[in-house]
Amino acid sequence: MPSFNATVAILDSNVYGHYLTVPKLISDKFIDTDRRMVAVLNGTMKIHCALMPKGGGEYMILLHKHIRTRLDIALGDQVIVDLEKDESEYGMELPEELTELWSIDPDAYDVFHTLTKGKQRSLIYQIGQGKRSETRANKAVAIMEYLKTVNGSLDFKQMNQFVKNFNSL
């Protein structure tokens, strides 16, 4: 597992914010493959991430606010990164509530798997953000019902409205 030190930096971008630069010697080992990784930050926090192109042949790992808050790190701080290839099926941990739903609703499983890997990860992330199991389960049911309604033709804005309406029933 390659290990390196990186400094928290920030991009001048409306899309991306804080990040860690991955040394070229390390990123070169992974860029010809699927760039999904598992990073252990400061030996305490494991995150699923991607090596994102930074430009000029460099790659970065994005650091969302919840990661920086939990690690108590800020712009300019040093972070120790242990990096390995993500061998998980979805590139992130799957919420138990979603796997349970799929076990009783195979149509939801089938329509979910018509989506691209990136859209699958996005939906898994949304479902997994709930703090309580009940919240995650409700979100999973609503999203899977939406996908079945539109036969997998995902429109995030429309889906968010569907979920909002579904949960107010």
Side-chain angles (χ1 to χ4, degrees):
M1 174 183 321
S3 185
F4 60 93
N5 290 344
T7 303
V8 177
I10 192 165
L11 287 172
D12 183 21
S13 165
N14 291 331
V15 179
Y16 301 121
H18 293 78
Y19 68 93
L20 300 170
T21 299
V22 178
K24 191 159 176 43
L25 285 173
I26 293 173
S27 64
D28 282 351
K29 295 177 184 178
F30 299 109
I31 58 171
D32 291 334
T33 65
D34 177 21
R35 296 185 315 243
R36 300 296 309 171
M37 300 285 132
V38 175
V40 178
L41 306 176
N42 287 342
T44 61
M45 185 178 190
K46 177 180 169 181
I47 63 168
H48 292 264
C49 58
L51 295 182
M52 301 292 293
K54 183 180 165 193
E58 289 189 308
Y59 287 82
M60 62 185 168
I61 296 171
L62 299 177
L63 294 175
H64 300 290
K65 184 176 182 177
H66 73 277
I67 295 169
R68 298 189 317 272
T69 301
R70 187 162 154 211
L71 290 173
D72 193 25
I73 57 175
L75 186 63
D77 288 348
Q78 287 287 308
V79 177
I80 300 167
V81 182
D82 297 305
L83 197 61
E84 67 182 46
K85 190 86 178 117
D86 187 340
E87 301 294 344
S88 66
E89 183 175 356
Y90 299 101
M92 62 188 345
E93 292 183 34
L94 197 58
E96 183 179 322
E97 296 80 5
L98 184 56
T99 58
E100 287 178 16
L101 175 60
W102 287 342
S103 71
I104 60 173
D105 188 350
D107 291 339
Y109 177 89
D110 291 343
V111 74
F112 179 84
H113 287 89
T114 65
L115 302 172
T116 65
K117 293 287 187 189
K119 287 180 180 176
Q120 289 175 5
R121 273 192 305 277
S122 182
L123 295 178
I124 292 168
Y125 177 80
Q126 285 187 30
I127 293 166
Q129 289 305 294
K131 292 182 181 165
R132 297 178 320 132
S133 180
E134 181 182 350
T135 304
R136 292 188 300 272
N138 289 341
K139 189 109 181 201
V141 169
I143 289 174
M144 292 305 119
E145 286 302 315
Y146 168 76
L147 288 176
K148 291 189 301 185
T149 301
V150 297
N151 200 28
S153 181
L154 180 60
D155 175 316
F156 282 98
K157 186 175 180 181
Q158 183 184 50
M159 181 193 72
N160 290 335
Q161 188 60 51
F162 182 93
V163 169
K164 185 178 178 181
N165 294 341
F166 188 88
N167 287 330
S168 67
L169 296 176

